[in-house]
Amino acid sequence: MAQCLFISEIQLSVFHWIFVLDNSHGKHTAQATLAALARTCSAFHDIALDILWQQFGTIARAIQCMPHDSWGGDMSKSESGCICLKLHRHLTKDDWNIFRRYALRIRHLSLATQDVRRGKTLIVDIDDELLACLASMDPTQPLLPNLTSLEWIIYDERDLRLIRRIITKSLTSLFLEVWAISPVPDLQQFISSIAPTCPSLQNFTVHSVALSSHLRDSVSQTLRHLHNLTTIHCGILDAEVMDHLSRLPSLLELKFALQPDAQFQNELLFEQLQVLDVHAQDISSAVDLVSRMRNKLTNLSIFSDDHTGASVLAHLFRRLSTSVSHYSLRRFQIMVAERPPQDSFSVLNLEDLHPLLSFNRLTHVHLDVGCGISLDDVAALELAQAWPNIVQLMLNKFLETPLPSSMSPIGLLCFLKHCSNLMELTLEIDFSFIEEQDDQWYHWLGDTTHGHLSVFDVTYSKIHDATKVAAFLSCVLPRTVHVLYSWIHALDDQREYAERWNEASRLFKRIQK
């Protein structure tokens, strides 16, 4: 064997490419190759094992390397695709040393891991008693000393004790969910200890079914002492924490809930922020936050619990067009949970949407704004020409409006002609033009077809002739897999439209075959 292959740095580079060049699903070829290298050549053993366990190692697999009489799989859940590893006897020092040999190489930990055996994917879970026994073997050392990524769920105090034994200074990514119904002692103290324990943390996600004000304070305190963060997903943040985060040069992604009545005294820098996902009680406060940033956002999502009228939304669109970079924004989403009262229904039109047309590099637009969006064929042409790179366009997927749709199939053809990358489209369309045509209707289509659109959602579009509509759609959408509709959510007296769309969808698939 060439002498250069004994050099660990060269081995590391060569073996890493075994992993990179394997394009198979699950990279089974790379796993088998690295395992074979580790078994057949002592010179390759350590480096091959390092890469194998760094990429594919899990705590479940490390447990399975111990003697088989020390653990076993509970097969009672195997039919549902889940196996639980349980402790069969007390662990000895020799068991611990075997586990430790592989645990040193583990970089990622998630309690539920997938294991592919004989072509079947199983979810491998680990019994709490087995984990607790491992954690108690050597209290002076972390259970997984070189761990860099951790996903953990806290149900009770036992989960809290275990995670204290697992987190290390090497951790760069932490995904934490608190599912405890009753208070967990010392949970606030643990959250506050994350920053000094994991000073290199870059990705931090914390969710809770009921995030108390005390726990929110602990999360805020932790964020104030982490200075290398690139990604944050969390609950409510106050203005003081936002001011600190805005000065982090490393922060690229922020998803959070805006504290009600938050008052910002200064400009928020966020100079490197690319992804912003904000949940606010009202859209106005979220837009006020965005307008204070010197941002070059690529993704902007705003979620609100409160209904907002069309005139307010139009004003907010104008503010966004002056505060967000037209060159950088690729994905834009606004969703309003509250539906408007029947006596105060309002409608957005093309003039209201004009400020958004300046973002001509958009690829994904999702507006579910709690008020109508009235677009005719001229508006469809303007949107299609303004957003030529659009991949996904969704307009009011679940809102049934009292006004009839103003867009005909001609508007649909505008999107198909000018947006060649379009893969998912959600629009309400008036198909009466198609239904009124004779059997020679197709001559005016020319060669207008679309080769990429996979999903077409007609929301609450009304039809009367399912056969003609299905024939039209199959002609212009030869590659579309799904034609969806929202009438399944309608009242009983409107079920006729759901039945017609069900027939149209069935005919559409039959024609395509």
Side-chain angles (χ1 to χ4, degrees):
M1 187 170 66
Q3 291 299 311
C4 64
L5 291 180
F6 287 95
I7 301 174
S8 58
E9 289 80 1
I10 294 178
Q11 290 183 19
L12 189 63
S13 178
V14 172
F15 295 170
H16 178 72
W17 278 103
I18 293 174
F19 168 78
V20 172
L21 295 176
D22 184 2
N23 295 320
S24 64
H25 179 68
K27 295 188 178 292
H28 304 305
T29 302
Q31 293 188 56
T33 302
L34 290 168
L37 287 167
R39 286 194 296 263
T40 57
C41 180
S42 59
F44 295 160
H45 179 81
D46 288 335
I47 301 298
L49 273 186
D50 284 344
I51 296 179
L52 181 64
W53 281 82
Q54 285 174 18
Q55 300 295 339
F56 308 106
T58 65
I59 194 170
R61 289 182 175 177
I63 290 171
Q64 291 168 319
C65 290
M66 295 192 299
H68 287 179
D69 65 333
S70 64
W71 61 272
D74 183 355
M75 303 297 290
S76 61
K77 299 180 181 179
S78 61
E79 292 183 359
S80 61
C82 181
I83 293 180
C84 183
L85 298 181
K86 291 181 174 291
L87 186 66
H88 281 184
R89 61 168 173 79
H90 291 297
L91 297 181
T92 67
K93 193 66 174 178
D94 290 339
D95 298 331
W96 167 252
N97 289 335
I98 294 172
F99 173 84
R100 182 77 173 175
R101 184 189 312 160
Y102 297 102
L104 289 169
R105 295 180 162 100
I106 293 177
R107 298 294 184 271
H108 314 285
L109 173 60
S110 177
L111 286 184
T113 58
Q114 289 190 345
D115 192 11
V116 180
R117 299 287 176 90
R118 299 183 181 91
K120 182 180 180 181
T121 300
L122 299 175
I123 301 299
V124 182
D125 200 5
I126 305 171
D127 183 65
D128 287 346
E129 184 182 358
L130 177 51
L131 277 175
C133 186
L134 286 171
S136 64
M137 292 299 293
D138 188 350
T140 64
Q141 302 181 57
L143 189 60
L144 305 172
N146 298 312
L147 195 69
T148 60
S149 174
L150 173 62
E151 297 179 16
W152 197 264
I153 299 175
I154 295 178
Y155 291 100
D156 51 34
E157 192 173 356
R158 174 181 292 185
D159 298 317
L160 192 59
R161 287 199 302 270
L162 286 173
I163 194 175
R164 289 182 184 276
R165 290 278 291 110
I166 292 174
I167 60 172
T168 69
K169 290 186 179 298
S170 61
L171 205 65
T172 59
S173 178
L174 176 60
F175 181 95
L176 187 63
E177 292 200 41
V178 181
W179 288 6
I181 304 301
S182 56
V184 178
D186 298 329
L187 179 58
Q188 294 172 234
Q189 182 183 0
F190 166 72
I191 296 293
S192 300
S193 71
I194 290 175
T197 306
C198 312
S200 302
L201 203 62
Q202 297 175 7
N203 303 315
F204 183 43
T205 297
V206 56
H207 296 304
S208 174
V209 293
L211 200 62
S212 68
S213 59
H214 297 298
L215 195 55
R216 288 200 300 266
D217 292 342
S218 298
V219 172
S220 297
Q221 179 182 348
T222 296
L223 291 175
R224 290 190 192 99
H225 293 89
L226 291 171
H227 304 288
N228 300 299
L229 291 167
T230 61
T231 303
I232 302 172
H233 297 182
C234 62
I236 295 177
L237 297 179
D238 57 33
E240 183 180 350
V241 178
M242 291 295 296
D243 183 62
H244 164 72
L245 297 179
S246 75
R247 297 193 299 273
L248 294 181
S250 58
L251 191 60
L252 301 176
E253 180 173 327
L254 176 60
K255 298 184 178 183
F256 75 108
L258 185 62
Q259 185 182 43
D261 303 321
Q263 300 292 325
F264 299 101
Q265 304 297 327
N266 304 313
E267 180 184 36
L268 300 173
L269 300 180
F270 287 111
E271 292 182 341
Q272 302 301 321
L273 193 67
Q274 297 178 7
V275 178
L276 177 63
D277 187 327
V278 54
H279 191 136
Q281 282 192 347
D282 62 274
I283 291 181
S284 299
S285 59
V287 174
D288 179 60
L289 168 70
V290 175
S291 65
R292 291 177 176 272
M293 298 180 180
R294 300 182 197 169
N295 65 67
K296 296 180 181 178
L297 293 174
T298 60
N299 296 23
L300 174 59
S301 298
I302 298 175
F303 299 85
S304 174
D305 298 324
D306 192 23
H307 166 61
T308 303
S311 59
V312 176
L313 284 168
H315 174 66
L316 298 180
F317 292 157
R318 290 193 292 271
R319 290 188 63 187
L320 286 174
S321 69
T322 60
S323 58
V324 179
S325 169
H326 297 174
Y327 180 82
S328 62
L329 194 65
R330 298 293 189 272
R331 294 171 178 255
F332 179 60
Q333 179 179 25
I334 290 184
M335 296 191 68
V336 178
E338 184 70 24
R339 291 305 180 225
Q342 292 295 327
D343 58 351
S344 63
F345 193 85
S346 57
V347 177
L348 287 169
N349 54 37
L350 177 61
E351 183 180 356
D352 300 323
L353 296 177
H354 257 136
L356 299 182
L357 302 189
S358 58
F359 298 99
N360 57 7
R361 294 176 177 266
L362 283 170
T363 59
H364 294 71
V365 175
H366 185 181
L367 300 179
D368 204 339
V369 292
C371 66
I373 300 177
S374 179
L375 302 175
D376 57 17
D377 295 338
V378 174
L381 178 60
E382 285 205 40
L383 261 65
Q385 291 177 332
W387 299 334
N389 301 314
I390 200 75
V391 173
Q392 181 191 66
L393 176 61
M394 302 175 68
L395 302 179
N396 276 354
K397 182 178 178 66
F398 296 114
L399 180 66
E400 181 187 1
T401 68
L403 302 175
S405 173
S406 302
M407 187 183 299
S408 77
I410 295 175
L412 170 62
L413 295 180
C414 290
F415 284 106
L416 302 185
K417 179 179 180 180
H418 295 281
C419 306
S420 59
N421 298 323
L422 194 60
M423 297 186 66
E424 183 173 355
L425 179 62
T426 300
L427 283 175
E428 184 176 344
I429 294 178
D430 179 6
F431 285 96
S432 59
F433 176 77
I434 294 296
E435 295 169 328
E436 294 167 359
Q437 302 297 310
D438 57 24
D439 293 337
Q440 303 299 317
W441 56 267
Y442 54 81
H443 71 275
W444 59 271
L445 287 178
D447 60 351
T448 305
T449 59
H450 200 281
H452 293 94
L453 191 69
S454 175
V455 178
F456 179 41
D457 192 330
V458 298
T459 66
Y460 287 97
S461 300
K462 297 179 180 179
I463 60 169
H464 299 87
D465 192 327
T467 302
K468 286 187 175 180
V469 172
F472 165 73
L473 292 178
S474 64
C475 183
V476 298
L477 303 176
R479 301 294 180 87
T480 299
V481 178
H482 302 289
V483 174
L484 308 177
Y485 52 92
S486 299
W487 285 110
I488 55 174
H489 307 286
L491 300 176
D492 291 341
D493 60 346
Q494 297 172 322
R495 294 292 296 177
E496 58 181 303
Y497 296 114
E499 294 170 0
R500 290 170 190 161
W501 272 114
N502 184 49
E503 181 184 358
S505 180
R506 180 174 52 82
L507 291 171
F508 174 78
K509 293 179 180 178
R510 181 186 300 176
I511 295 171
Q512 285 187 316
K513 291 182 179 179

